[in-house]
Amino acid sequence: MAGAGIKEIKNRIGSVQSTKQVTKAMELVSSSKMRKAKDRALASRPYFNTMYNTVKDIATNTRGVRDPFLKQREVKNKCYIVIAGDRGLAGGYNSNIFKLTTAHMDGKQEKVMTVGKKATEFFQKRGYDIVAAEESVEKCDYDRTLALANTAMDLYKKGEIDELYICYTEFISPLTQTPKLMKVLPLAFDKEEVKSKENSGSRARVQYLPSPEAVLSYLIPKYVSGVVYDGVIESFASEQSARRNAMKSASDNADEMLSTLELSYNRARQTAVTQEITEIVGGVEALK
């Protein structure tokens, strides 16, 4: 019995060591990808913020400006751009973004545009109307996000959708990632902020040529594509951070299991040796 127990514990130690090697390797790979993705995410934010502020200033500080993407209308159909991961083993990263998205939806009649293999699989299995899909977040460059944004804007212009949302995970720090749902179309700005600017008289005196409408119609498509691209970059950095944290926890748990198993192994060996000595002594006593 003792011999069988020792063999079982030894096999378990080997299995845990093999698992630890895999999780440690995945942790190192995710750490390397996370550092690069973090730099891209931080570098893209100034462009996105500048674009947003410019569009907001034109829309709110110019009287009589009109654009189809600014017009509020009755909401009958919505579209969601959902950005999730390419694979699992990232803790609650994928499930958190799916919970946030489905909680905001009214049902399964909404159109969905997915980025990432996990997002496509999730909404396909549940029968949602997927109008566009990118299988890989890592390979989704600006040209691909531009195509997604153009598809969404075409649907909005044709009246097939009345609102466009993007669901992604915002990268806060290597330890913190926050699922976020943002309304993209129609463009809407904080009324209190706009009202306070008007009351304070801090309206910028800027002349837009050939006209504010022309500048706005040029900037809005770039703004929408920039929002999608920023969401992809933030999500990829968040995914790698979440996977790194999950694999680090798995490696730490493996170390604890190995310590416990080694202690059990040593005790089992000591028990086996003691039993053998007892049997030998008993045999000697029987021969006397």
Side-chain angles (χ1 to χ4, degrees):
M1 293 296 292
I6 290 175
K7 185 176 181 181
E8 182 181 349
I9 295 172
K10 195 172 183 179
N11 291 337
R12 186 74 186 279
I13 290 175
S15 177
V16 174
Q17 286 176 337
S18 299
T19 302
K20 180 187 173 183
Q21 289 178 350
V22 174
T23 57
K24 196 65 179 178
M26 293 183 68
E27 178 189 345
L28 294 174
V29 172
S30 296
S31 297
S32 177
K33 289 184 177 182
M34 183 268 292
R35 283 192 292 269
K36 296 177 182 178
K38 180 185 70 173
D39 293 339
R40 289 176 60 197
L42 295 177
S44 70
R45 287 178 184 174
Y47 171 83
F48 171 77
N49 292 334
T50 301
M51 184 67 70
Y52 174 81
N53 290 328
T54 302
V55 172
K56 182 179 69 175
D57 287 341
I58 297 175
T60 57
N61 295 336
T62 306
R63 294 182 179 178
V65 65
R66 295 181 179 180
D67 190 276
F69 295 119
L70 294 173
K71 185 178 180 181
Q72 304 289 329
R73 59 197 188 197
E74 183 182 358
V75 179
K76 297 179 180 179
N77 299 297
K78 300 177 183 178
C79 181
Y80 293 81
I81 301 176
V82 185
I83 306 171
D86 294 336
R87 55 187 66 88
L89 299 176
Y93 170 78
N94 291 311
S95 60
N96 290 338
I97 198 68
F98 297 148
K99 288 178 183 178
L100 177 65
T101 305
T102 53
H104 191 269
M105 290 178 167
D106 298 327
K108 293 186 178 181
Q109 72 273 15
E110 287 91 348
K111 299 182 184 298
V112 180
M113 305 173 72
T114 59
V115 181
K117 184 178 179 181
K118 290 297 180 179
T120 304
E121 291 177 351
F122 179 87
F123 289 102
Q124 274 182 346
K125 290 179 180 178
R126 287 156 181 79
Y128 284 87
D129 181 13
I130 301 177
V131 295
E134 284 289 338
E135 289 297 320
S136 174
V137 179
E138 186 173 5
K139 296 179 181 179
C140 191
D141 54 14
Y142 182 76
D143 290 336
R144 293 175 183 267
T145 56
L146 179 61
L148 286 174
N150 288 336
T151 300
M153 287 186 287
D154 288 341
L155 291 173
Y156 187 86
K157 287 179 181 178
K158 293 176 182 177
E160 295 183 27
I161 62 172
D162 303 302
E163 285 184 339
L164 174 66
Y165 293 87
I166 182 170
C167 307
Y168 68 100
T169 305
E170 184 179 11
F171 178 83
I172 306 299
S173 71
L175 297 177
T176 306
Q177 305 85 40
T178 305
K180 187 174 181 179
L181 187 145
M182 175 182 175
K183 184 178 179 181
V184 181
L185 295 175
L187 294 176
F189 305 102
D190 189 350
K191 293 182 180 180
E192 294 298 327
E193 182 182 356
V194 174
K195 189 176 180 180
S196 64
K197 276 192 173 184
E198 291 177 349
N199 294 335
S200 64
S202 60
R203 184 178 300 174
R205 297 179 179 275
V206 180
Q207 183 178 8
Y208 300 100
L209 297 176
S211 67
E213 287 84 357
V215 175
L216 199 61
S217 64
Y218 174 79
L219 288 179
I220 287 179
K222 294 186 177 298
Y223 166 74
V224 175
S225 61
V227 169
V228 180
Y229 185 60
D230 183 71
V232 169
I233 293 176
E234 294 269 350
S235 295
F236 183 67
S238 299
E239 179 188 359
Q240 299 307 317
S241 297
R243 182 169 295 111
R244 171 187 172 275
N245 295 335
M247 293 301 100
K248 186 177 186 304
S249 296
S251 298
D252 292 342
N253 290 336
D255 285 333
E256 292 180 6
M257 290 180 66
L258 286 173
S259 298
T260 303
L261 288 171
E262 287 173 357
L263 181 61
S264 299
Y265 179 74
N266 291 333
R267 286 177 177 175
R269 285 186 61 190
Q270 186 177 15
T271 301
V273 171
T274 302
Q275 184 176 353
E276 289 178 3
I277 293 174
T278 303
E279 291 175 354
I280 292 172
V281 172
V284 172
E285 291 294 333
L287 293 174
K288 287 183 180 181

